[in-house]
Amino acid sequence: MRGLARQAFGIPNVSVALGVRAYALVAAARSRACALAGEFAGAAGRAFGLPVRAGVGPTAPALTGVAASRADADLVLDVAGRNAPAVVRVEDVRATLTLHRLRGLAEQHPGLRLGLLDGLVEQDAARGTAWLPTLRAYLEAFGDVPAAAARVNVHPNTFRYRLRRITELFRLDLADPDVRLVAALELRLLPGEPG
């Protein structure tokens, strides 16, 4: 491992292998660190005959930030997906990383997972209604009713009726940006949702 890191980086560094992951601490500018990560991933891939991906955490301005940068690099690899490039930086997967962290927070604090959408979830499960897909389509289409209706394969008038019923039955003020934000987050935190 150490030989590979020195060969790929060609500069003083600290490297260690833990399980199936290897870590390198490099004193270099961000762009150079990313380039070095690519060189290392390529060299390791050739040496082991396997595809290797590098996750690059944020720059640590002091040694006290190294552990957090390493944790972020691990999360980057966890959320990157199979088709990610050889080098994945925190900024490449920021939205997915944020949702991953929010899911973890919601697991620690179950009250965050549901609340605003409890009634929609219950009625969809009990009565087979389509409140959640309707709300999801509305939020994902940024309030564009014809586009949202097309997403759920209903006529725009039917969609408007469903949306009106959601606001009436569940007291969701979709004109309020905070309500829309919390509803969108809760939808993403529902079990089985992507991200």
Side-chain angles (χ1 to χ4, degrees):
M1 177 69 224
R2 190 173 297 275
L4 266 177
R6 285 203 176 111
Q7 175 188 348
F9 294 138
I11 61 173
N13 65 82
V14 176
S15 58
V16 62
L18 298 173
V20 297
R21 292 193 174 165
Y23 301 90
L25 174 62
V26 184
R30 180 101 177 125
S31 60
R32 180 70 179 132
C34 290
L36 292 170
E39 291 175 30
F40 177 77
R46 288 187 297 279
F48 298 121
L50 298 168
V52 174
R53 183 171 297 127
V56 181
T59 300
L63 283 177
T64 55
V66 170
S69 179
R70 178 196 155 202
D72 278 353
D74 277 334
L75 280 175
V76 164
L77 291 172
D78 291 343
V79 303
R82 292 180 179 262
N83 297 323
V87 177
V88 185
R89 305 164 306 154
V90 168
E91 49 271 28
D92 297 330
V93 292
R94 179 72 65 198
T96 306
L97 191 61
T98 299
L99 285 172
H100 180 82
R101 286 186 172 134
L102 288 172
R103 275 201 175 88
L105 188 60
E107 286 174 10
Q108 294 172 10
H109 305 278
L112 292 176
R113 188 172 296 269
L114 290 174
L116 192 63
L117 305 182
D118 283 345
L120 283 84
V121 170
E122 290 169 9
Q123 278 212 6
D124 278 3
R127 297 186 178 162
T129 53
W131 302 129
L132 289 174
T134 300
L135 180 60
R136 183 179 295 110
Y138 177 77
L139 294 171
E140 289 176 357
F142 301 104
D144 181 339
V145 170
R151 285 177 184 238
V152 292
N153 297 314
V154 298
H155 190 277
N157 289 340
T158 302
F159 191 88
R160 284 185 190 90
Y161 170 77
R162 287 184 185 176
L163 204 55
R164 188 171 56 252
R165 293 298 291 158
I166 287 171
T167 60
E168 292 168 357
L169 292 173
F170 305 105
R171 296 188 181 103
L172 287 178
D173 180 6
L174 295 177
D176 182 332
D178 291 339
V179 170
R180 289 192 311 269
L181 173 63
V182 171
L185 285 172
E186 284 189 18
L187 282 167
R188 295 303 297 234
L189 296 176
L190 288 172
E193 282 298 305

